[in-house]
Amino acid sequence: MKRAGRILAVLCVVAVVVTLYGCGSGDCVTSATQPTVTARATYDGVHKDAVEGFFFLPPLAPDPNSTGAFDPDLAADLKVEIFLLGENGEPTAAPVATFTDTATTNKSEAIRVNTDDEHYIVNFHTRSYDLVDGAIYRIFVRRLDGTQYGFADVKIVTNRKQTKSPKGDTTFALKDGRTLPIKFRVEVGATPPSYDYVFAAKWGSAGSGAGEFNSPHGVGVDADGNVYVADTFNHRIQKFTATGTFIAEWGSYGSGNGQFRRPIGVAVDAHGNVFVTDGYNHRIQKFTSTGTFIAEWGSSGYGNGRFRYPYAVAVDAAGNVYVTEVTNARSQKFNGAGDFIIKWGSYGSGDGEFNGPAGVAVDADGNVYVTDHANDRIQKFTSSGTFLTKWDSYGSGDGQFDGPHGVAVDLHRDVYVADSQNHRIQKFSGTATLITKWGSSGSGDGEFWNPGGVAVDADGSVYVADRGNNRIQKFRPEAP
């Protein structure tokens, strides 16, 4: 109970969405099981007139009209078509763009396959097309003979942060309805690249003024890259740009709507709604991105939909909300309106049991990751709470934990853990393989003192609530 006591002491003192469709071998991908990932669009410094989008898709499932199974060896003689979806959800008659490749064509429009990893790489690097920000497009992968292997729906959302104009000397925010040349590299089932993480920015100091913190715990990021921080002992939420410029704050001490008693966790859904675990009020509060109160649910207790010190919160692609509770040693799942769906967990150290569940995150496939703080481990579940696996080893070595706290998952399904008492961040694959780590105890750049929440934006940058240093630190992925 020592580490669970630490959590209780805190409380007491303290886009683009891609969805695959299709049926193969009689197995359909239903709306409940459609995998989703987040894609990104970033400024391309080589081609001054285009923004390049990176879409990392899981392996395509065949469409019901397909003949034959998905076969990466048939990469030659392929066609990729992009269609705009109309208001009726159907693709337009003519494609926005078409790309083909055969064994004899010029490889400037390369559609190739990696037979080892079984994924296509489609490089659209010679032409740009006007695509509408916020619109949904359907990408078909077919053989030239008309056989259709599968498709994915892609919502185009550009990076609104420091996106350069064709002249390269101004910045602007792309708003819905405007167009901008977009280029694509579509990787189907791609293996994500390996990165080192370098210090990029920091902001905050001890205090109660704008941009100051008193033990920041939770951190969340929206689709536009804005950063939300649960400023726990100041009983408020603060909102910043991705570089730490203060935007807004809301909340004060109390139990009324929009007030808090030690907010801990914060998460943002695809629509920009902000969810906060209001720890000592034993409830969840929901706000707009500007802090306008929308709804609240929960009260002190042990039944369904009630809480005893709700701690962390996460939202999946469908808008379902997951909450961990310290005293009740469980996770609860709700829809976005707060209606109870399911719960799992009880006190203990067995599979599916918890001792101080601190962090929660959901990957693109709906798998749920919980940091089991006092058991020094991570547990992985299905979206309905079925235990899948765990990685649990106490210590300070690679892949070991001492009081893990926050957890986040990126678009590649890689898992980031704030290893709090080891004063570091560890990054794993979704199957528990250690990828990298960084940090040590201290107050310098890249050092931590009991890091709490962690979040990853669409560009892969990592934000850490450095609790003991009363600041937020940002790290940028960089190819080694």
Side-chain angles (χ1 to χ4, degrees), residues 245-327:
T245 300
F246 175 81
I247 297 175
E249 68 173 276
W250 66 89
S252 59
Y253 181 82
S255 57
N257 293 341
Q259 295 183 314
F260 303 106
R261 295 173 66 200
R262 298 164 179 82
I264 296 290
V266 61
V268 189
D269 69 14
H271 303 289
N273 298 309
V274 181
F275 298 83
V276 181
T277 55
D278 189 5
Y280 241 53
N281 282 322
H282 309 286
R283 65 181 177 180
I284 306 300
Q285 293 198 68
K286 180 179 179 180
F287 303 87
T288 68
S289 61
T290 56
T292 300
F293 175 82
I294 298 175
E296 55 101 12
W297 69 87
S299 60
S300 179
Y302 307 95
N304 296 342
R306 304 180 73 179
F307 303 108
R308 290 292 292 167
Y309 306 107
Y311 206 83
V313 60
V315 186
D316 66 18
N320 297 309
V321 180
Y322 301 78
V323 181
T324 59
E325 299 174 73
V326 175
T327 301

Side-chain angles (χ1 to χ4, degrees), residues 161-162 199-204 221 224-227 239-247 457 461 463 472-476:
K161 307 182 300 298
Q162 300 178 345
F199 173 82
K202 65 182 177 183
W203 63 91
V221 185
D224 295 325
N226 299 308
V227 182
K239 179 180 178 180
F240 303 87
T241 68
T243 55
T245 300
F246 175 81
I247 297 175
D457 69 15
S461 294
Y463 301 82
I472 303 299
Q473 292 198 68
K474 177 181 179 179
F475 300 88
R476 183 184 67 252

Side-chain angles (χ1 to χ4, degrees), residues 118-404:
E118 297 189 353
H119 68 267
Y120 290 119
I121 297 178
V122 185
N123 249 325
F124 304 161
H125 64 277
T126 59
R127 292 181 286 174
S128 296
Y129 291 87
D130 284 347
L131 300 179
V132 179
D133 183 53
I136 298 177
Y137 294 83
R138 180 161 294 175
I139 299 178
F140 285 98
V141 178
R142 314 172 188 260
R143 289 189 64 189
L144 291 184
D145 63 9
T147 303
Q148 183 173 302
Y149 280 127
F151 63 90
D153 285 353
V154 177
K155 184 176 181 181
I156 301 300
V157 179
T158 66
N159 182 356
R160 294 172 173 81
K161 307 182 300 298
Q162 300 178 345
T163 303
K164 295 185 179 180
S165 70
K167 294 182 180 181
D169 57 359
T170 60
T171 62
F172 64 92
L174 184 68
K175 300 185 182 300
D176 290 346
R178 295 184 59 185
T179 61
L180 186 71
I182 306 288
K183 301 193 309 171
F184 298 93
R185 183 177 73 227
V186 180
E187 301 194 19
V188 182
T191 301
S194 175
Y195 293 116
D196 292 330
Y197 287 82
V198 298
F199 173 82
K202 65 182 177 183
W203 63 91
S205 59
S208 58
E212 297 178 328
F213 302 109
N214 188 353
S215 191
H217 275 67
V219 60
V221 185
D222 67 18
D224 295 325
N226 299 308
V227 182
Y228 301 78
V229 180
D231 188 6
T232 301
F233 295 139
N234 283 324
H235 313 287
R236 65 182 177 181
I237 302 298
Q238 294 197 68
K239 179 180 178 180
F240 303 87
T241 68
T243 55
T245 300
F246 175 81
I247 297 175
E249 68 173 276
W250 66 89
S252 59
Y253 181 82
S255 57
N257 293 341
Q259 295 183 314
F260 303 106
R261 295 173 66 200
R262 298 164 179 82
I264 296 290
V266 61
V268 189
D269 69 14
H271 303 289
N273 298 309
V274 181
F275 298 83
V276 181
T277 55
D278 189 5
Y280 241 53
N281 282 322
H282 309 286
R283 65 181 177 180
I284 306 300
Q285 293 198 68
K286 180 179 179 180
F287 303 87
T288 68
S289 61
T290 56
T292 300
F293 175 82
I294 298 175
E296 55 101 12
W297 69 87
S299 60
S300 179
Y302 307 95
N304 296 342
R306 304 180 73 179
F307 303 108
R308 290 292 292 167
Y309 306 107
Y311 206 83
V313 60
V315 186
D316 66 18
N320 297 309
V321 180
Y322 301 78
V323 181
T324 59
E325 299 174 73
V326 175
T327 301
N328 285 334
R330 65 183 180 183
S331 295
Q332 293 195 69
K333 178 181 178 180
F334 304 85
N335 64 23
D339 298 320
F340 173 82
I341 298 175
I342 198 170
K343 65 183 178 184
W344 67 91
S346 59
Y347 176 77
S349 58
D351 294 346
E353 296 178 329
F354 301 110
N355 187 357
V360 62
V362 188
D363 70 16
D365 298 320
N367 298 308
V368 181
Y369 301 80
V370 178
T371 53
D372 193 2
H373 179 82
N375 283 325
D376 300 301
R377 64 182 180 180
I378 309 299
Q379 294 197 70
K380 180 178 179 180
F381 303 87
T382 68
S383 61
S384 58
T386 300
F387 174 83
L388 294 175
T389 189
K390 63 186 175 184
W391 48 104
D392 56 343
S393 177
Y394 170 74
S396 58
D398 291 351
Q400 295 183 314
F401 302 108
D402 187 357

